[in-house]
Tab-separated table of all heavy atoms in Angstrom:
chain	number	residue	atom	x	y	z
A	281	GLN	N	-51.301	31.008	-31.840
A	281	GLN	CA	-51.269	29.640	-31.266
A	281	GLN	C	-49.981	29.434	-30.460
A	281	GLN	O	-50.001	28.743	-29.473
A	281	GLN	CB	-51.401	28.605	-32.361
A	281	GLN	CG	-52.755	28.579	-33.071
A	281	GLN	CD	-52.872	27.418	-34.022
A	281	GLN	OE1	-52.672	26.282	-33.624
A	281	GLN	NE2	-53.243	27.731	-35.258
A	282	ALA	N	-48.914	29.971	-30.953
A	282	ALA	CA	-47.619	29.769	-30.285
A	282	ALA	C	-47.622	30.310	-28.868
A	282	ALA	O	-46.927	29.812	-27.966
A	282	ALA	CB	-46.466	30.395	-31.058
A	283	ILE	N	-48.414	31.410	-28.622
A	283	ILE	CA	-48.516	31.969	-27.304
A	283	ILE	C	-49.677	31.419	-26.532
A	283	ILE	O	-49.629	31.330	-25.266
A	283	ILE	CB	-48.632	33.536	-27.393
A	283	ILE	CG1	-47.439	34.069	-28.241
A	283	ILE	CG2	-48.641	34.161	-26.031
A	283	ILE	CD1	-47.504	35.566	-28.436
A	284	GLN	N	-50.734	30.999	-27.203
A	284	GLN	CA	-51.859	30.355	-26.534
A	284	GLN	C	-51.419	29.111	-25.775
A	284	GLN	O	-51.984	28.790	-24.722
A	284	GLN	CB	-52.911	29.962	-27.546
A	284	GLN	CG	-53.778	31.115	-28.068
A	284	GLN	CD	-54.833	30.626	-29.040
A	284	GLN	OE1	-55.116	29.435	-29.113
A	284	GLN	NE2	-55.376	31.546	-29.790
A	285	ARG	N	-50.391	28.423	-26.275
A	285	ARG	CA	-49.956	27.167	-25.579
A	285	ARG	C	-49.363	27.459	-24.200
A	285	ARG	O	-49.328	26.546	-23.396
A	285	ARG	CB	-48.919	26.474	-26.460
A	285	ARG	CG	-49.478	25.822	-27.691
A	285	ARG	CD	-48.517	24.785	-28.212
A	285	ARG	NE	-49.139	24.064	-29.367
A	285	ARG	CZ	-48.958	24.401	-30.639
A	285	ARG	NH1	-48.210	25.429	-30.940
A	285	ARG	NH2	-49.541	23.727	-31.572
A	286	ASN	N	-49.052	28.700	-23.917
A	286	ASN	CA	-48.649	29.060	-22.534
A	286	ASN	C	-49.760	28.815	-21.572
A	286	ASN	O	-49.516	28.643	-20.331
A	286	ASN	CB	-48.230	30.514	-22.462
A	286	ASN	CG	-46.932	30.824	-23.211
A	286	ASN	OD1	-46.529	30.011	-24.049
A	286	ASN	ND2	-46.335	31.939	-22.958
A	287	PHE	N	-51.018	28.762	-22.027
A	287	PHE	CA	-52.174	28.684	-21.128
A	287	PHE	C	-52.984	27.399	-21.352
A	287	PHE	O	-54.136	27.350	-20.979
A	287	PHE	CB	-53.046	29.921	-21.347
A	287	PHE	CG	-52.320	31.227	-21.156
A	287	PHE	CD1	-51.785	31.880	-22.306
A	287	PHE	CD2	-52.078	31.747	-19.904
A	287	PHE	CE1	-51.088	33.065	-22.122
A	287	PHE	CE2	-51.384	32.935	-19.743
A	287	PHE	CZ	-50.902	33.567	-20.825
A	288	LEU	N	-52.388	26.412	-21.999
A	288	LEU	CA	-53.050	25.146	-22.244
A	288	LEU	C	-52.388	24.052	-21.439
A	288	LEU	O	-51.191	24.080	-21.190
A	288	LEU	CB	-52.937	24.783	-23.747
A	288	LEU	CG	-53.651	25.713	-24.749
A	288	LEU	CD1	-53.412	25.263	-26.134
A	288	LEU	CD2	-55.156	25.775	-24.467
A	289	PRO	N	-53.169	23.037	-20.959
A	289	PRO	CA	-52.572	21.894	-20.268
A	289	PRO	C	-51.562	21.212	-21.187
A	289	PRO	O	-51.790	21.014	-22.382
A	289	PRO	CB	-53.771	21.010	-19.971
A	289	PRO	CG	-54.963	21.893	-20.070
A	289	PRO	CD	-54.632	22.916	-21.090
A	290	ARG	N	-50.398	20.816	-20.618
A	290	ARG	CA	-49.313	20.254	-21.451
A	290	ARG	C	-48.658	19.062	-20.781
A	290	ARG	O	-48.614	18.957	-19.552
A	290	ARG	CB	-48.299	21.315	-21.757
A	290	ARG	CG	-48.795	22.494	-22.541
A	290	ARG	CD	-47.673	23.428	-22.962
A	290	ARG	NE	-46.938	24.001	-21.856
A	290	ARG	CZ	-47.325	25.047	-21.192
A	290	ARG	NH1	-48.527	25.619	-21.413
A	290	ARG	NH2	-46.598	25.546	-20.212
A	291	PHE	N	-48.142	18.163	-21.609
A	291	PHE	CA	-47.379	16.999	-21.195
A	291	PHE	C	-45.990	17.258	-21.781
A	291	PHE	O	-45.828	17.178	-23.014
A	291	PHE	CB	-47.994	15.701	-21.744
A	291	PHE	CG	-47.286	14.465	-21.302
A	291	PHE	CD1	-47.897	13.217	-21.540
A	291	PHE	CD2	-46.086	14.470	-20.680
A	291	PHE	CE1	-47.268	12.041	-21.153
A	291	PHE	CE2	-45.444	13.307	-20.318
A	291	PHE	CZ	-46.052	12.042	-20.519
A	292	SER	N	-45.025	17.510	-20.932
A	292	SER	CA	-43.664	17.792	-21.388
A	292	SER	C	-42.722	16.636	-20.984
A	292	SER	O	-42.703	16.245	-19.837
A	292	SER	CB	-43.133	19.096	-20.809
A	292	SER	OG	-41.771	19.295	-21.087
A	293	SER	N	-42.016	16.078	-21.982
A	293	SER	CA	-41.065	15.017	-21.659
A	293	SER	C	-39.769	15.345	-22.392
A	293	SER	O	-39.756	15.817	-23.519
A	293	SER	CB	-41.586	13.657	-22.110
A	293	SER	OG	-41.551	13.545	-23.507
A	294	ARG	N	-38.618	15.088	-21.730
A	294	ARG	CA	-37.346	15.377	-22.318
A	294	ARG	C	-36.304	14.362	-21.957
A	294	ARG	O	-36.310	13.799	-20.842
A	294	ARG	CB	-36.870	16.824	-21.867
A	294	ARG	CG	-37.799	17.926	-22.106
A	294	ARG	CD	-37.140	19.254	-21.793
A	294	ARG	NE	-36.738	19.359	-20.393
A	294	ARG	CZ	-37.559	19.731	-19.387
A	294	ARG	NH1	-38.837	19.968	-19.669
A	294	ARG	NH2	-37.104	19.848	-18.196
A	295	LEU	N	-35.395	14.116	-22.871
A	295	LEU	CA	-34.132	13.437	-22.568
A	295	LEU	C	-33.031	14.510	-22.577
A	295	LEU	O	-32.914	15.247	-23.576
A	295	LEU	CB	-33.813	12.344	-23.586
A	295	LEU	CG	-32.529	11.562	-23.405
A	295	LEU	CD1	-32.704	10.123	-23.934
A	295	LEU	CD2	-31.339	12.197	-24.058
A	296	VAL	N	-32.284	14.623	-21.518
A	296	VAL	CA	-31.347	15.723	-21.355
A	296	VAL	C	-29.934	15.169	-21.097
A	296	VAL	O	-29.765	14.314	-20.194
A	296	VAL	CB	-31.750	16.647	-20.214
A	296	VAL	CG1	-30.770	17.847	-20.131
A	296	VAL	CG2	-33.175	17.167	-20.401
A	297	TYR	N	-28.944	15.653	-21.846
A	297	TYR	CA	-27.556	15.308	-21.562
A	297	TYR	C	-26.784	16.642	-21.383
A	297	TYR	O	-26.870	17.535	-22.236
A	297	TYR	CB	-26.909	14.514	-22.689
A	297	TYR	CG	-25.437	14.340	-22.520
A	297	TYR	CD1	-24.950	13.453	-21.554
A	297	TYR	CD2	-24.532	15.071	-23.285
A	297	TYR	CE1	-23.562	13.294	-21.389
A	297	TYR	CE2	-23.150	14.914	-23.082
A	297	TYR	CZ	-22.676	14.026	-22.149
A	297	TYR	OH	-21.319	13.879	-21.971
A	298	THR	N	-25.980	16.725	-20.312
A	298	THR	CA	-25.196	17.889	-20.020
A	298	THR	C	-23.746	17.505	-19.742
A	298	THR	O	-23.480	16.611	-18.967
A	298	THR	CB	-25.774	18.645	-18.791
A	298	THR	OG1	-27.132	18.990	-19.055
A	298	THR	CG2	-24.978	19.927	-18.551
A	299	TYR	N	-22.833	18.176	-20.392
A	299	TYR	CA	-21.390	18.014	-20.133
A	299	TYR	C	-20.837	19.299	-19.567
A	299	TYR	O	-21.022	20.363	-20.169
A	299	TYR	CB	-20.695	17.598	-21.420
A	299	TYR	CG	-19.167	17.525	-21.253
A	299	TYR	CD1	-18.563	16.401	-20.663
A	299	TYR	CD2	-18.331	18.559	-21.657
A	299	TYR	CE1	-17.207	16.337	-20.484
A	299	TYR	CE2	-16.984	18.491	-21.517
A	299	TYR	CZ	-16.395	17.383	-20.938
A	299	TYR	OH	-15.044	17.305	-20.744
A	300	THR	N	-20.112	19.186	-18.453
A	300	THR	CA	-19.523	20.353	-17.825
A	300	THR	C	-18.018	20.141	-17.647
A	300	THR	O	-17.581	19.095	-17.114
A	300	THR	CB	-20.173	20.646	-16.448
A	300	THR	OG1	-21.562	20.782	-16.640
A	300	THR	CG2	-19.606	21.891	-15.826
A	301	GLU	N	-17.213	21.077	-18.071
A	301	GLU	CA	-15.757	20.998	-17.865
A	301	GLU	C	-15.325	22.305	-17.193
A	301	GLU	O	-15.743	23.418	-17.594
A	301	GLU	CB	-15.004	20.778	-19.166
A	301	GLU	CG	-13.512	20.694	-18.907
A	301	GLU	CD	-12.785	19.918	-19.962
A	301	GLU	OE1	-13.434	19.262	-20.766
A	301	GLU	OE2	-11.527	19.979	-19.974
A	302	THR	N	-14.489	22.176	-16.156
A	302	THR	CA	-14.002	23.343	-15.445
A	302	THR	C	-12.516	23.504	-15.614
A	302	THR	O	-11.938	23.077	-16.617
A	302	THR	CB	-14.353	23.197	-13.948
A	302	THR	OG1	-13.841	21.962	-13.474
A	302	THR	CG2	-15.860	23.170	-13.742
A	303	ASP	N	-11.829	24.071	-14.659
A	303	ASP	CA	-10.457	24.611	-14.771
A	303	ASP	C	-9.474	23.825	-15.607
A	303	ASP	O	-8.596	24.421	-16.221
A	303	ASP	CB	-9.864	24.751	-13.358
A	303	ASP	CG	-10.689	25.690	-12.515
A	303	ASP	OD1	-11.445	26.453	-13.083
A	303	ASP	OD2	-10.565	25.588	-11.287
A	304	ALA	N	-9.560	22.531	-15.663
A	304	ALA	CA	-8.483	21.667	-16.195
A	304	ALA	C	-8.077	22.119	-17.608
A	304	ALA	O	-6.911	22.377	-17.883
A	304	ALA	CB	-8.888	20.231	-16.232
A	305	LEU	N	-9.067	22.247	-18.527
A	305	LEU	CA	-8.736	22.600	-19.903
A	305	LEU	C	-8.136	23.980	-19.942
A	305	LEU	O	-7.154	24.235	-20.666
A	305	LEU	CB	-10.005	22.496	-20.765
A	305	LEU	CG	-9.857	23.002	-22.206
A	305	LEU	CD1	-8.845	22.141	-22.927
A	305	LEU	CD2	-11.201	22.988	-22.902
A	306	PHE	N	-8.710	24.956	-19.259
A	306	PHE	CA	-8.269	26.349	-19.298
A	306	PHE	C	-6.849	26.470	-18.774
A	306	PHE	O	-6.028	27.188	-19.364
A	306	PHE	CB	-9.218	27.182	-18.430
A	306	PHE	CG	-9.001	28.688	-18.658
A	306	PHE	CD1	-9.283	29.270	-19.850
A	306	PHE	CD2	-8.519	29.462	-17.608
A	306	PHE	CE1	-9.149	30.625	-20.017
A	306	PHE	CE2	-8.330	30.805	-17.759
A	306	PHE	CZ	-8.643	31.376	-18.981
A	307	ARG	N	-6.486	25.746	-17.745
A	307	ARG	CA	-5.184	25.842	-17.202
A	307	ARG	C	-4.126	25.220	-18.124
A	307	ARG	O	-2.997	25.659	-18.193
A	307	ARG	CB	-5.113	25.107	-15.840
A	307	ARG	CG	-5.916	25.915	-14.773
A	307	ARG	CD	-5.985	25.138	-13.462
A	307	ARG	NE	-6.725	25.962	-12.477
A	307	ARG	CZ	-7.027	25.485	-11.267
A	307	ARG	NH1	-6.687	24.271	-10.910
A	307	ARG	NH2	-7.683	26.276	-10.422
A	308	ARG	N	-4.515	24.133	-18.865
A	308	ARG	CA	-3.582	23.563	-19.793
A	308	ARG	C	-3.274	24.521	-20.982
A	308	ARG	O	-2.184	24.609	-21.480
A	308	ARG	CB	-4.186	22.277	-20.385
A	308	ARG	CG	-4.235	21.129	-19.386
A	308	ARG	CD	-4.365	19.796	-20.065
A	308	ARG	NE	-5.581	19.723	-20.843
A	308	ARG	CZ	-6.734	19.213	-20.388
A	308	ARG	NH1	-6.798	18.810	-19.136
A	308	ARG	NH2	-7.817	19.198	-21.111
A	309	LEU	N	-4.297	25.294	-21.364
A	309	LEU	CA	-4.152	26.214	-22.484
A	309	LEU	C	-3.335	27.454	-22.117
A	309	LEU	O	-2.476	27.908	-22.899
A	309	LEU	CB	-5.509	26.621	-23.029
A	309	LEU	CG	-6.332	25.537	-23.709
A	309	LEU	CD1	-7.708	26.065	-24.106
A	309	LEU	CD2	-5.629	25.041	-24.997
A	310	PHE	N	-3.583	28.032	-20.926
A	310	PHE	CA	-2.988	29.292	-20.571
A	310	PHE	C	-1.882	29.189	-19.532
A	310	PHE	O	-1.255	30.190	-19.190
A	310	PHE	CB	-4.093	30.242	-20.061
A	310	PHE	CG	-5.057	30.653	-21.137
A	310	PHE	CD1	-6.203	29.903	-21.387
A	310	PHE	CD2	-4.819	31.793	-21.894
A	310	PHE	CE1	-7.102	30.257	-22.353
A	310	PHE	CE2	-5.708	32.116	-22.906
A	310	PHE	CZ	-6.833	31.391	-23.148
A	311	LYS	N	-1.623	27.986	-19.048
A	311	LYS	CA	-0.521	27.785	-18.081
A	311	LYS	C	-0.640	28.727	-16.914
A	311	LYS	O	0.324	29.245	-16.395
A	311	LYS	CB	0.846	27.966	-18.757
A	311	LYS	CG	1.035	27.221	-20.059
A	311	LYS	CD	0.957	25.697	-19.835
A	311	LYS	CE	1.191	24.960	-21.133
A	311	LYS	NZ	1.082	23.472	-20.972
A	312	ASN	N	-1.866	28.943	-16.452
A	312	ASN	CA	-2.077	29.839	-15.357
A	312	ASN	C	-3.092	29.201	-14.394
A	312	ASN	O	-4.195	28.886	-14.774
A	312	ASN	CB	-2.642	31.207	-15.855
A	312	ASN	CG	-2.744	32.275	-14.769
A	312	ASN	OD1	-3.028	31.956	-13.641
A	312	ASN	ND2	-2.495	33.508	-15.129
A	313	ASN	N	-2.664	29.024	-13.146
A	313	ASN	CA	-3.523	28.348	-12.193
A	313	ASN	C	-4.476	29.287	-11.436
A	313	ASN	O	-5.116	28.834	-10.500
A	313	ASN	CB	-2.712	27.525	-11.221
A	313	ASN	CG	-1.765	28.384	-10.366
A	313	ASN	OD1	-1.760	29.580	-10.506
A	313	ASN	ND2	-0.984	27.712	-9.549
A	314	ARG	N	-4.516	30.568	-11.816
A	314	ARG	CA	-5.375	31.488	-11.154
A	314	ARG	C	-6.650	31.782	-11.912
A	314	ARG	O	-7.698	32.064	-11.397
A	314	ARG	CB	-4.646	32.802	-10.822
A	314	ARG	CG	-3.471	32.658	-9.872
A	314	ARG	CD	-2.863	33.988	-9.526
A	314	ARG	NE	-3.788	34.761	-8.764
A	314	ARG	CZ	-4.279	35.949	-9.163
A	314	ARG	NH1	-3.913	36.448	-10.313
A	314	ARG	NH2	-5.087	36.662	-8.413
A	315	ASN	N	-6.530	31.711	-13.244
A	315	ASN	CA	-7.715	31.935	-14.040
A	315	ASN	C	-8.621	30.720	-14.015
A	315	ASN	O	-8.169	29.599	-13.849
A	315	ASN	CB	-7.316	32.227	-15.537
A	315	ASN	CG	-6.482	33.469	-15.670
A	315	ASN	OD1	-6.617	34.426	-14.839
A	315	ASN	ND2	-5.589	33.478	-16.612
A	316	THR	N	-9.925	30.949	-14.188
A	316	THR	CA	-10.888	29.858	-14.106
A	316	THR	C	-11.768	29.831	-15.368
A	316	THR	O	-12.117	30.914	-15.860
A	316	THR	CB	-11.785	30.058	-12.836
A	316	THR	OG1	-10.963	30.100	-11.666
A	316	THR	CG2	-12.741	28.876	-12.701
């Protein structure tokens, strides 16, 4: 059944939250402005 659902009509709904952090934290930790 778990694989049969790949071939059944479906209603998919999601609430999604994404947090992204870039260079700032890494540079504070390693004191290097070249690493990312």
Side-chain angles (χ1 to χ4, degrees):
Q281 293 187 54
I283 305 179
Q284 283 182 16
R285 288 199 175 95
N286 292 16
F287 305 95
L288 297 176
R290 298 188 299 279
F291 183 169
S292 173
S293 73
R294 304 188 300 277
L295 181 150
V296 183
Y297 172 74
T298 303
Y299 174 79
T300 304
E301 181 155 349
T302 55
D303 300 341
L305 174 62
F306 191 67
R307 290 175 179 175
R308 290 198 299 268
L309 292 175
F310 292 90
K311 309 298 182 183
N312 187 326
N313 61 1
R314 296 185 66 241
N315 298 330
T316 303

